[in-house]
PDB file of all heavy atoms in Angstrom:
ATOM      1  N   GLY J   6      14.424   5.232   1.724  1.00  0.00           N
ATOM      2  CA  GLY J   6      15.488   6.106   1.838  1.00  0.00           C
ATOM      3  C   GLY J   6      15.150   7.593   1.896  1.00  0.00           C
ATOM      4  O   GLY J   6      15.749   8.492   1.378  1.00  0.00           O
ATOM      5  N   LEU J   7      13.908   7.883   2.472  1.00  0.00           N
ATOM      6  CA  LEU J   7      13.315   9.082   2.416  1.00  0.00           C
ATOM      7  C   LEU J   7      14.074  10.186   3.334  1.00  0.00           C
ATOM      8  O   LEU J   7      14.360   9.868   4.468  1.00  0.00           O
ATOM      9  CB  LEU J   7      11.898   9.084   2.944  1.00  0.00           C
ATOM     10  CG  LEU J   7      11.023  10.257   2.412  1.00  0.00           C
ATOM     11  CD1 LEU J   7      10.792  10.208   0.853  1.00  0.00           C
ATOM     12  CD2 LEU J   7       9.610  10.085   3.017  1.00  0.00           C
ATOM     13  N   SER J   8      14.433  11.333   2.794  1.00  0.00           N
ATOM     14  CA  SER J   8      15.094  12.305   3.666  1.00  0.00           C
ATOM     15  C   SER J   8      14.477  13.697   3.400  1.00  0.00           C
ATOM     16  O   SER J   8      13.826  13.910   2.262  1.00  0.00           O
ATOM     17  CB  SER J   8      16.591  12.355   3.285  1.00  0.00           C
ATOM     18  OG  SER J   8      16.741  12.737   1.929  1.00  0.00           O
ATOM     19  N   LYS J   9      14.539  14.542   4.334  1.00  0.00           N
ATOM     20  CA  LYS J   9      14.087  15.896   4.282  1.00  0.00           C
ATOM     21  C   LYS J   9      14.958  16.839   5.094  1.00  0.00           C
ATOM     22  O   LYS J   9      15.154  16.572   6.245  1.00  0.00           O
ATOM     23  CB  LYS J   9      12.568  15.986   4.796  1.00  0.00           C
ATOM     24  CG  LYS J   9      12.030  17.442   4.737  1.00  0.00           C
ATOM     25  CD  LYS J   9      11.790  17.848   3.352  1.00  0.00           C
ATOM     26  CE  LYS J   9      11.196  19.252   3.333  1.00  0.00           C
ATOM     27  NZ  LYS J   9      10.908  19.771   1.896  1.00  0.00           N
ATOM     28  N   THR J  10      15.546  17.849   4.363  1.00  0.00           N
ATOM     29  CA  THR J  10      16.403  18.776   5.076  1.00  0.00           C
ATOM     30  C   THR J  10      15.780  20.108   4.803  1.00  0.00           C
ATOM     31  O   THR J  10      15.409  20.539   3.738  1.00  0.00           O
ATOM     32  CB  THR J  10      17.759  18.714   4.397  1.00  0.00           C
ATOM     33  OG1 THR J  10      18.359  17.456   4.561  1.00  0.00           O
ATOM     34  CG2 THR J  10      18.671  19.750   5.122  1.00  0.00           C
ATOM     35  N   LEU J  21      14.392  14.309   8.381  1.00  0.00           N
ATOM     36  CA  LEU J  21      14.326  12.809   8.075  1.00  0.00           C
ATOM     37  C   LEU J  21      15.659  12.414   7.482  1.00  0.00           C
ATOM     38  O   LEU J  21      16.194  13.136   6.560  1.00  0.00           O
ATOM     39  CB  LEU J  21      13.210  12.465   7.182  1.00  0.00           C
ATOM     40  CG  LEU J  21      11.754  12.652   7.608  1.00  0.00           C
ATOM     41  CD1 LEU J  21      10.729  12.286   6.532  1.00  0.00           C
ATOM     42  CD2 LEU J  21      11.422  11.888   8.930  1.00  0.00           C
ATOM     43  N   THR J  46       6.741  15.630   9.660  1.00  0.00           N
ATOM     44  CA  THR J  46       7.417  15.734   8.341  1.00  0.00           C
ATOM     45  C   THR J  46       7.116  14.511   7.449  1.00  0.00           C
ATOM     46  O   THR J  46       6.727  14.556   6.339  1.00  0.00           O
ATOM     47  CB  THR J  46       8.876  15.858   8.504  1.00  0.00           C
ATOM     48  OG1 THR J  46       9.068  17.161   9.327  1.00  0.00           O
ATOM     49  CG2 THR J  46       9.617  16.057   7.176  1.00  0.00           C
ATOM     50  N   LEU J  50       4.933  14.258   3.941  1.00  0.00           N
ATOM     51  CA  LEU J  50       5.491  13.840   2.631  1.00  0.00           C
ATOM     52  C   LEU J  50       4.654  12.727   2.054  1.00  0.00           C
ATOM     53  O   LEU J  50       4.362  12.703   0.864  1.00  0.00           O
ATOM     54  CB  LEU J  50       6.905  13.267   2.886  1.00  0.00           C
ATOM     55  CG  LEU J  50       7.956  14.408   3.307  1.00  0.00           C
ATOM     56  CD1 LEU J  50       9.333  13.744   3.594  1.00  0.00           C
ATOM     57  CD2 LEU J  50       8.049  15.479   2.252  1.00  0.00           C
ATOM     58  N   ILE J  51       4.143  11.875   2.966  1.00  0.00           N
ATOM     59  CA  ILE J  51       3.299  10.695   2.426  1.00  0.00           C
ATOM     60  C   ILE J  51       1.988  11.253   1.911  1.00  0.00           C
ATOM     61  O   ILE J  51       1.408  10.758   0.990  1.00  0.00           O
ATOM     62  CB  ILE J  51       3.099   9.637   3.567  1.00  0.00           C
ATOM     63  CG1 ILE J  51       4.474   8.939   3.782  1.00  0.00           C
ATOM     64  CG2 ILE J  51       2.132   8.566   3.079  1.00  0.00           C
ATOM     65  CD1 ILE J  51       4.405   7.912   4.963  1.00  0.00           C
ATOM     66  N   LEU J  53       1.592  14.012   0.464  1.00  0.00           N
ATOM     67  CA  LEU J  53       1.855  14.800  -0.752  1.00  0.00           C
ATOM     68  C   LEU J  53       1.638  16.302  -0.509  1.00  0.00           C
ATOM     69  O   LEU J  53       1.280  17.049  -1.353  1.00  0.00           O
ATOM     70  CB  LEU J  53       1.041  14.304  -1.940  1.00  0.00           C
ATOM     71  CG  LEU J  53       0.912  12.836  -2.295  1.00  0.00           C
ATOM     72  CD1 LEU J  53       0.105  12.680  -3.497  1.00  0.00           C
ATOM     73  CD2 LEU J  53       2.382  12.261  -2.328  1.00  0.00           C
ATOM     74  N   ASP J  55       4.101  18.094   0.884  1.00  0.00           N
ATOM     75  CA  ASP J  55       5.518  18.658   0.753  1.00  0.00           C
ATOM     76  C   ASP J  55       6.295  17.626  -0.012  1.00  0.00           C
ATOM     77  O   ASP J  55       5.968  16.504  -0.285  1.00  0.00           O
ATOM     78  CB  ASP J  55       6.081  18.882   2.163  1.00  0.00           C
ATOM     79  CG  ASP J  55       7.206  19.893   2.260  1.00  0.00           C
ATOM     80  OD1 ASP J  55       7.567  20.346   1.076  1.00  0.00           O
ATOM     81  OD2 ASP J  55       7.721  20.179   3.335  1.00  0.00           O
ATOM     82  N   GLU J  56       7.526  18.120  -0.441  1.00  0.00           N
ATOM     83  CA  GLU J  56       8.404  17.253  -1.262  1.00  0.00           C
ATOM     84  C   GLU J  56       9.621  16.915  -0.498  1.00  0.00           C
ATOM     85  O   GLU J  56      10.255  17.769   0.202  1.00  0.00           O
ATOM     86  CB  GLU J  56       8.765  17.899  -2.601  1.00  0.00           C
ATOM     87  CG  GLU J  56       7.520  18.151  -3.337  1.00  0.00           C
ATOM     88  CD  GLU J  56       7.832  18.378  -4.836  1.00  0.00           C
ATOM     89  OE1 GLU J  56       9.016  18.266  -5.288  1.00  0.00           O
ATOM     90  OE2 GLU J  56       6.850  18.746  -5.569  1.00  0.00           O
ATOM     91  N   PRO J  57      10.118  15.623  -0.587  1.00  0.00           N
ATOM     92  CA  PRO J  57      11.286  15.225   0.134  1.00  0.00           C
ATOM     93  C   PRO J  57      12.589  15.753  -0.566  1.00  0.00           C
ATOM     94  O   PRO J  57      12.613  16.252  -1.661  1.00  0.00           O
ATOM     95  CB  PRO J  57      11.325  13.727  -0.007  1.00  0.00           C
ATOM     96  CG  PRO J  57      10.500  13.351  -1.181  1.00  0.00           C
ATOM     97  CD  PRO J  57       9.528  14.485  -1.409  1.00  0.00           C
ATOM     98  N   SER J  58      13.690  15.757   0.199  1.00  0.00           N
ATOM     99  CA  SER J  58      14.987  16.067  -0.401  1.00  0.00           C
ATOM    100  C   SER J  58      15.615  14.913  -1.114  1.00  0.00           C
ATOM    101  O   SER J  58      16.434  15.074  -2.025  1.00  0.00           O
ATOM    102  CB  SER J  58      15.940  16.516   0.699  1.00  0.00           C
ATOM    103  OG  SER J  58      15.369  17.532   1.629  1.00  0.00           O
ATOM    104  N   GLY J  59      15.187  13.683  -0.725  1.00  0.00           N
ATOM    105  CA  GLY J  59      15.699  12.457  -1.458  1.00  0.00           C
ATOM    106  C   GLY J  59      14.843  11.288  -0.960  1.00  0.00           C
ATOM    107  O   GLY J  59      14.076  11.388  -0.082  1.00  0.00           O
ATOM    108  N   GLY J  60      14.982  10.236  -1.818  1.00  0.00           N
ATOM    109  CA  GLY J  60      14.186   8.980  -1.519  1.00  0.00           C
ATOM    110  C   GLY J  60      12.954   8.804  -2.435  1.00  0.00           C
ATOM    111  O   GLY J  60      12.844   9.635  -3.233  1.00  0.00           O
ATOM    112  N   SER J  61      12.165   7.790  -2.196  1.00  0.00           N
ATOM    113  CA  SER J  61      11.045   7.564  -2.987  1.00  0.00           C
ATOM    114  C   SER J  61       9.761   7.223  -2.135  1.00  0.00           C
ATOM    115  O   SER J  61       9.971   6.678  -0.917  1.00  0.00           O
ATOM    116  CB  SER J  61      11.279   6.394  -3.926  1.00  0.00           C
ATOM    117  OG  SER J  61      11.449   5.145  -3.260  1.00  0.00           O
ATOM    118  N   ILE J  62       8.617   7.465  -2.745  1.00  0.00           N
ATOM    119  CA  ILE J  62       7.377   7.137  -2.085  1.00  0.00           C
ATOM    120  C   ILE J  62       6.436   6.499  -3.066  1.00  0.00           C
ATOM    121  O   ILE J  62       6.218   7.129  -4.125  1.00  0.00           O
ATOM    122  CB  ILE J  62       6.558   8.387  -1.457  1.00  0.00           C
ATOM    123  CG1 ILE J  62       7.531   9.215  -0.453  1.00  0.00           C
ATOM    124  CG2 ILE J  62       5.318   7.942  -0.717  1.00  0.00           C
ATOM    125  CD1 ILE J  62       6.983  10.558  -0.049  1.00  0.00           C
ATOM    126  N   LEU J  70       5.925  10.742  -6.475  1.00  0.00           N
ATOM    127  CA  LEU J  70       6.857  11.864  -6.654  1.00  0.00           C
ATOM    128  C   LEU J  70       7.021  12.186  -8.133  1.00  0.00           C
ATOM    129  O   LEU J  70       7.535  13.167  -8.527  1.00  0.00           O
ATOM    130  CB  LEU J  70       8.272  11.588  -5.998  1.00  0.00           C
ATOM    131  CG  LEU J  70       8.147  11.425  -4.535  1.00  0.00           C
ATOM    132  CD1 LEU J  70       9.549  11.106  -3.943  1.00  0.00           C
ATOM    133  CD2 LEU J  70       7.556  12.703  -3.798  1.00  0.00           C
ATOM    134  N   ARG J  77      -1.198  14.993  -8.979  1.00  0.00           N
ATOM    135  CA  ARG J  77      -0.979  14.921  -7.584  1.00  0.00           C
ATOM    136  C   ARG J  77      -2.233  15.445  -6.839  1.00  0.00           C
ATOM    137  O   ARG J  77      -2.705  14.828  -5.901  1.00  0.00           O
ATOM    138  CB  ARG J  77       0.232  15.837  -7.252  1.00  0.00           C
ATOM    139  CG  ARG J  77       0.567  15.687  -5.804  1.00  0.00           C
ATOM    140  CD  ARG J  77       1.888  16.482  -5.511  1.00  0.00           C
ATOM    141  NE  ARG J  77       2.959  15.896  -6.367  1.00  0.00           N
ATOM    142  CZ  ARG J  77       4.259  15.981  -6.120  1.00  0.00           C
ATOM    143  NH1 ARG J  77       4.632  16.606  -4.959  1.00  0.00           N
ATOM    144  NH2 ARG J  77       5.137  15.392  -6.883  1.00  0.00           N
TER     145      ARG J  77
END
Side-chain angles (χ1 to χ4, degrees):
L7 204 64
S8 64
K9 178 70 182 180
T10 302
L21 293 180
T46 300
L50 296 178
I51 294 173
L53 314 184
D55 199 358
E56 297 199 9
S58 311
S61 66
I62 306 171
L70 299 176
R77 186 172 300 207

